[in-house]
């Protein structure tokens, strides 16, 4: 009798603590490309949500139209990379050199971009709504901001709060 009760208790405990298959599929493990040499790779159109690219070399890499929501690019080299039409919502692109990067028509909503450099960066149609930027960055970006994002319908100037 005691053995049956103990077995039933343990079975109930296992069932309650074990995630259901639906729960387990909600959050796939993130891909990690930290410290990787990925220069000239093609990630265009791929779903790379919450992927980590910290400290990676991504020069001339193609991310056009990729889903990069929640991705981390902290301290990576992104010189002349193609981010045209990407979704970087809630991503971290801090301490990154974006020299010559194409961010046209990108969605950067609530993206952290602190201490990143935007030399010769194409931001036409990019949506920076609620992105975290330094004051100097906003001033620099407003000087070249133009266009309207095709996905969100928000103008680049409005998303940056340009006057």
């Amino acid at each position: 009798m005691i053995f049956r009760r103990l077995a039933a208790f343990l079975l109930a405990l296992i069932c309650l603590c074990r995630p259901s298959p639906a729960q387990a599929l909600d959050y796939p493990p993130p891909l990690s490309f930290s410290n990787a040499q990925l220069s000239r790779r093609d990630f265009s159109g791929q779903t790379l949500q919450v992927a980590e690219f910290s400290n990676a070399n991504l020069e001339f890499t193609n991310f056009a139209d990729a889903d990069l929501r929640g991705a981390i690019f902290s301290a990576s080299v992104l010189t002349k990379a193609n981010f045209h039409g990407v979704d970087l919502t809630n991503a971290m692109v801090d301490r990154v050199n974006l020299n010559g990067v194409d961010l046209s028509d990108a969605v950067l909503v609530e993206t952290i971009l602190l201490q990143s450099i935007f030399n010769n960066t194409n931001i036409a149609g990019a949506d920076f709504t609620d992105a975290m930027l330094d004051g100097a960055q906003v001033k620099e970006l407003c000087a070249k901001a133009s266009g309207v994002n095709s996905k969100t319908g928000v103008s680049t100037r409005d998303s940056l709060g340009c006057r």
Side-chain angles (χ1 to χ4, degrees):
M1 188 72 157
I2 293 175
F3 177 73
R4 285 184 187 172
R5 286 185 184 171
L6 182 60
F9 172 75
L10 289 174
L11 181 60
L13 186 62
I14 290 169
C15 290
L16 288 173
C17 293
R18 189 172 146 232
S20 70
Q23 289 173 325
L25 295 176
D26 284 345
Y27 300 101
L31 297 172
S32 180
F33 299 100
S34 292
N35 302 305
Q37 295 295 323
L38 300 169
S39 182
R40 300 184 190 277
R41 291 278 302 267
D42 186 2
F43 292 101
S44 61
Q46 293 187 30
T47 298
L48 298 164
Q49 292 177 9
V50 300
E52 185 174 356
F53 294 93
S54 297
N55 299 305
N57 180 1
L58 300 159
E59 289 181 294
F60 299 99
T61 300
N62 185 9
F63 287 100
D65 300 312
D67 183 353
L68 296 165
R69 289 176 288 166
I72 300 171
F73 288 91
S74 298
S76 290
V77 177
L78 294 172
T79 307
K80 298 186 180 176
N82 182 3
F83 280 84
H84 173 81
V86 299
D87 189 345
L88 281 161
T89 300
N90 295 313
M92 289 184 64
V93 189
D94 59 312
R95 298 172 291 131
V96 172
N97 184 344
L98 298 164
N99 186 32
V101 171
D102 182 358
L103 283 173
S104 62
D105 209 35
V107 178
L108 298 130
V109 174
E110 297 180 354
T111 298
I112 298 172
L113 295 154
L114 297 171
Q115 297 180 3
S116 290
I117 300 167
F118 293 90
N119 292 335
N120 301 313
T121 305
N122 180 358
I123 62 164
D127 182 351
F128 290 91
T129 302
D130 297 324
M132 292 182 70
L133 293 154
D134 298 318
Q137 289 173 311
V138 173
K139 185 176 179 179
E140 177 188 351
L141 293 173
C142 283
K144 59 184 167 186
S146 66
V148 175
N149 188 276
S150 67
K151 294 170 201 78
T152 65
V154 175
S155 81
T156 303
R157 292 190 63 75
D158 288 345
S159 70
L160 287 165
C162 301
R163 294 186 179 135

